[in-house]
Every structure is written in C-alpha cells, then in structure tokens.
C-alpha cells in the first residue's frame, strides 16, 4: 500500500479499454474510457492533428483526481483512493475473511502504543 501511495506503482494503474462503438454514439451514459478518449481526441485536434482513436481502438487512461484522463496526456495527480476502493478492496475483501483479517485493519494507520 505504501508503494502505491508513494507513486511507485503508477505504471501498473493504467486501464486499457477497447472502444466498441464510435465516440459520438455514447450520449447518455458516458463511461470513463470514452471520456478519456474524447479528451485525447480533442487534444490532438487542438494540436492540428487528426484524431488518433476510432471504433475498435484501445484507449489507455488513468483515474485522476479530476476524473479519467488519457495516459498519454495526463496532467492531474492520480486518484490513489479510487484504486484502493475499486481495485484492491474488492479483491482483498473476498480473500481476507478466510484468514481472519479485514482490509481496513491492514490499511488503517497504526495507533501509537503510548
């Protein structure tokens, strides 16, 4: 956990998702990977370049404190709490009860003895 919070595992926090439909077809519920893909396409357009992503391509993104951001143009800090709550906790909660432990007990800062 300390390595995660210290930023030593940032390269392992990148999500990879395929765009199953054209970006314009996502209207109502826009998933995080589509938001990141739109952001990346807009950045390319701002640079005068053609949009790099189409249906079937894969977007790489991270969850930042400002929401999903394309990994190639990430500017905000990574939201480590998102990864703890959405990735680590569910896996740990399914395993730890079998050994008599709880995720919160392992991740909570230790109280001083005196």
């Amino acid at each position: 956990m300390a390595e995660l919070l210290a930023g030593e595992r940032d390269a392992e926090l990148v999500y990879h998702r395929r765009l199953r439909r054209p970006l314009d077809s996502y209207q109502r519920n826009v998933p995080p990977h589509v938001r990141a893909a739109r952001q990346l396409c807009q950045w390319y357009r701002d640079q005068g370049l053609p949009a790099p992503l189409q249906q079937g391509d894969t977007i790489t993104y991270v969850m930042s404190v400002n929401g999903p951001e394309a990994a190639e143009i990430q500017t905000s800090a990574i939201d480590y709490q998102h990864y703890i709550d959405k990735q680590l906790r569910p896996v740990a909660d399914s395993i730890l009860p079998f050994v008599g432990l709880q995720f919160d007990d392992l991740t909570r800062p230790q109280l001083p003895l005196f």
Side-chain angles (χ1 to χ4, degrees):
M1 183 74 69
E3 290 177 358
L4 173 73
L5 296 174
E8 297 173 15
R9 300 285 184 179
D10 288 357
E12 298 172 32
L13 302 179
V14 178
Y15 288 109
H16 302 266
R17 292 291 308 269
R18 196 172 125 233
L19 298 169
R20 298 188 184 274
R21 303 186 317 220
L23 290 177
D24 295 339
S25 70
Y26 294 93
Q27 296 297 323
R28 275 195 162 147
N29 187 11
V30 181
H33 70 287
V34 173
R35 290 176 46 201
R38 286 179 177 170
Q39 176 190 54
L40 182 62
C41 288
Q42 183 61 50
W43 186 86
Y44 267 78
R45 281 192 292 273
D46 292 346
Q47 304 300 315
L49 301 169
L53 297 170
Q54 300 175 4
Q55 179 180 355
D57 290 342
T58 299
I59 177 74
T60 56
Y61 70 99
V62 295
M63 291 304 291
S64 75
V65 294
N66 292 319
E69 290 188 10
E72 297 89 341
I73 58 169
Q74 173 196 351
T75 57
S76 302
I78 291 178
D79 183 0
Y80 295 113
Q81 195 60 48
H82 163 84
Y83 291 94
I84 292 169
D85 293 341
K86 303 294 184 184
Q87 299 294 324
L88 296 177
R89 181 181 300 277
V91 173
D93 283 344
S94 68
I95 298 169
L96 291 175
F98 293 107
V99 292
L101 297 171
Q102 293 181 356
F103 185 76
D104 289 333
D105 293 339
L106 296 175
T107 59
R108 177 179 311 127
Q110 186 174 353
L111 297 174
L113 296 175
F114 301 101

